[in-house]
């Protein structure tokens, strides 16, 4: 249906040609009738007997000849004019059909259309790739810093003091911060783009180009430091042994925490409804899955080092480090949620009292610019929410975070400018939602798309904005988490044919630990041009 109507010129041209032909036929028919009628009239007049004297008869003959000549010439002129008009219209229509549309005339052409799918796709890929590069670089930087600081402490040096490594990891930490700043600007531009700003097609195309440019610059800053970072770590030389020992120590610490995380989840399931611990459901199992993968790669790194293949050993170690980092993210999320539920439960009575005070003080809300009708509706809605929360408390068990969120949102129109329990509650909710979304995206980044990452970046920005936008940050972070979960569901099982059940390889692909192309390539510190570099001695495929 769409293809037959867009742009629609062939069908319209055919219709106009038919109209012109019809006009020509009609003009010819009119001329023919005009031509025949005088002949009929002349014949009739000749049959009528002459009346009066001969002078009258002589005067009548020239009038009949004059009328016959005019009636013959005028129809021919009409037919010619109709034919000329039809021919001119046909030629003009044909030329228009053969000439491409120009901006400002006729249907909008490609130059006036909104940004195409190619530009959108490139922007999306650039955001995802840049975000992955920053996250991987930050994780490997953490292991490099931890190993160097551990070595200094073992030598008796003060933590953070200068060493033989010169500035240590600071130049690389600075590169990561600079890349983060470029990426944050790109995400901010994308958020505004999704909000419809700018609105002009040309400006929107420029905005997409600007986003890609920011992402390219973020990657360039990391790429520029990749070789120097490899030299600092020296994983193919003397740095391999200490790095392995540090990773194994970190692995043992996290393995010891998995049992505590499982116990915490059991306790939360007893004390609270499923919605309360839903953000971390299955996180203990996923942490163990990452640790299984890390165990395999740490063993392979040791074996490769013993076989004299330091490049292969370094690659296995990098994969193990990222898996260990993600296991820590899972376990930290469980611990953090338990703390947040306890804090929300403790803050709920003050939140209820603050909301009641905001609802009772209607004059302040009116003075703040809230119309009287909207004030009454807000107070009614708040009273209904407060009653529902109290009913849930009495019935038990209930979700204190959800209850606090409902109170904060219902009281927001009435509590503007107030300091106290409601502000503390809004901050608690925003921080928690951002942390939950951040943990999910970080550990599932192999499947999460640009939209979820953009909403998360905007939530982070609002969390630290002045004035703060805590309620909006909470909403955006929760939206980001929902979008990320949808992306993972659509992505499906990332395991390939070579995946061994129970090896953790599927989770490694889902978490972006291993790059899909070339296969089994660990992501490393660096930008798009260097993050998938293979250490010497690692055969392709």
């Amino acid at each position: 249906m769409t293809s037959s109507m867009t742009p629609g010129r062939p069908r319209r041209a055919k219709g106009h040609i038919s109209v012109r032909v019809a006009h020509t036929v009609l003009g010819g028919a009119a001329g023919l009738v005009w031509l025949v009628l005088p002949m009929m009239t002349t014949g009739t007049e000749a049959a009528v007997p002459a009346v009066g004297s001969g002078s009258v008869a002589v005067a009548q003959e020239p009038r009949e000849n004059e009328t016959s000549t005019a009636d013959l010439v005028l129809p021919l002129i009409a037919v010619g004019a109709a034919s000329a008009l039809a021919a001119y219209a046909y030629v003009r229509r044909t030329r228009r059909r053969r000439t491409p549309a120009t901006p400002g005339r006729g249907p909008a052409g490609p130059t006036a259309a909104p940004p195409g799918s190619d530009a959108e796709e490139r922007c999306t890929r650039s955001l995802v790739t840049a975000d992955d590069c920053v996250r991987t670089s930050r994780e490997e930087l953490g292991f490099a810093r931890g190993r160097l600081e551990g070595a200094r402490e073992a030598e008796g040096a003060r933590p953070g003091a200068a060493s033989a490594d010169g500035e240590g990891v600071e130049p690389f930490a600075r590169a990561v911060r600079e890349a983060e700043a470029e990426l944050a600007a790109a995400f901010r531009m994308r958020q505004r783009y999704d909000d419809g700003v700018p609105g002009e097609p040309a400006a929107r195309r420029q905005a997409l180009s600007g986003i890609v440019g920011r992402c390219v610059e973020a990657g360039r800053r990391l790429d520029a430091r990749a070789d120097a970072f490899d030299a600092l770590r020296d994983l193919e030389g003397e740095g391999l042994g200490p790095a392995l020992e540090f990773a194994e120590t970190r692995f043992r610490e996290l393995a010891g925490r998995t049992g505590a995380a499982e116990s915490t989840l059991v306790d939360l399931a007893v004390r609270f409804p499923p919605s309360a611990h839903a953000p971390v459901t299955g996180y203990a199992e996923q942490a163990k899955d990452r640790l299984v993968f890390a165990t395999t790669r740490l063993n392979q790194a040791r074996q490769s080092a013993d076989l004299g293949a330091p490049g292969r050993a370094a690659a296995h170690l990098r994969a193990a480090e990222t898996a260990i980092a993600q296991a820590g993210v899972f376990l930290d999320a469980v611990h953090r949620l338990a703390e947040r539920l306890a804090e929300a439960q403790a803050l709920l009575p003050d939140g209820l009292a603050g909301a009641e005070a905001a609802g009772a003080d209607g004059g302040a809300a009116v003075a703040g610019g809230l119309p009287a009708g909207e004030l009454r509706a807000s107070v009614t809605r708040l009273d209904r929410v407060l009653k529902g929360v109290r009913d849930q408390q009495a019935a038990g068990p209930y979700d204190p975070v959800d209850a606090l969120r409902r109170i904060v949102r219902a009281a927001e129109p009435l509590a503007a400018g107030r300091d106290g329990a409601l502000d503390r509650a809004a901050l608690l909710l925003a921080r928690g939602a951002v942390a939950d979304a951040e943990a999910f995206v970080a550990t599932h980044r192999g499947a999460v798309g640009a939209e979820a990452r953009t909403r998360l970046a905007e939530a982070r920005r609002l969390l630290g904005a002045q004035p703060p936008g805590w309620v909006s940050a909470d909403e955006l972070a929760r939206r980001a988490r929902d979008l990320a979960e949808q992306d993972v569901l659509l992505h499906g099982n990332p395991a390939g044919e070579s995946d061994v059940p129970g090896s953790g390889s599927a989770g490694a692909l889902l978490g972006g630990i291993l790059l899909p192309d070339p296969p089994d390539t660990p992501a490393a510190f660096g930008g798009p041009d260097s993050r998938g570099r293979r250490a010497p001695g690692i055969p392709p495929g």
Side-chain angles (χ1 to χ4, degrees), residues 128-278:
V128 171
T129 300
D131 192 41
D132 284 349
C133 289
V134 168
R135 291 177 182 276
T136 301
S137 298
R138 190 190 300 128
E139 289 167 352
E140 188 173 357
L141 179 66
F143 277 88
R145 177 185 283 115
R147 200 272 294 178
L148 291 176
E149 290 182 354
R152 293 186 192 129
E153 291 177 4
E155 295 171 358
R158 177 172 52 84
S163 67
D165 296 315
E167 292 184 87
V169 299
E170 179 51 33
F172 311 103
R174 185 164 53 249
V176 171
R177 290 194 298 269
E178 292 170 352
E180 288 173 339
E182 294 288 346
L183 182 60
F187 275 128
R188 178 59 181 148
M189 293 171 66
R190 181 67 207 208
Q191 179 65 46
R192 288 172 56 81
Y193 180 90
D194 292 343
D195 291 339
V197 180
E200 300 77 11
R204 289 180 70 78
R205 286 192 293 271
Q206 291 178 356
L208 291 177
S209 298
I211 295 169
V212 172
R214 291 280 191 174
C215 293
V216 169
E217 179 60 19
R220 187 195 66 78
R221 292 178 182 273
L222 295 175
D223 282 327
R225 286 292 185 177
D227 290 340
F229 187 74
D230 286 347
L232 173 71
R233 300 205 70 189
D234 192 21
L235 295 182
E236 298 182 34
E238 295 181 357
L240 178 62
L244 269 171
E245 291 177 0
F246 181 80
E248 289 168 346
T249 300
R250 178 65 175 153
F251 169 87
R252 288 190 292 269
E253 292 174 354
L254 294 175
R257 289 176 53 192
T258 56
E262 290 176 324
S263 298
T264 298
L265 288 173
V266 171
D267 179 64
L268 294 179
V270 172
R271 296 170 52 202
F272 301 104
S275 64
H277 51 85

Side-chain angles (χ1 to χ4, degrees), residues 418-471:
R418 292 174 177 269
D419 294 326
L422 291 177
D423 279 345
R424 296 197 306 272
L427 178 59
L428 173 68
L429 295 170
R431 284 176 174 171
V434 169
D436 286 344
E438 181 67 38
F440 189 88
V441 171
T443 54
H444 299 79
R445 59 179 177 259
V448 177
E451 186 178 0
R453 299 174 193 240
T454 301
R455 302 298 173 266
L456 175 57
E458 182 66 7
R460 282 196 303 263
R461 188 189 70 81
L462 292 174
L463 186 60
Q466 291 297 331
W470 293 332
V471 174

Side-chain angles (χ1 to χ4, degrees), residues 11-33:
R11 178 174 294 184
R12 290 171 59 190
K14 183 176 179 181
H16 278 277
I17 292 172
S18 301
V19 172
R20 301 303 180 189
V21 172
H23 287 172
T24 303
V25 173
L26 182 61
L32 183 61
V33 172

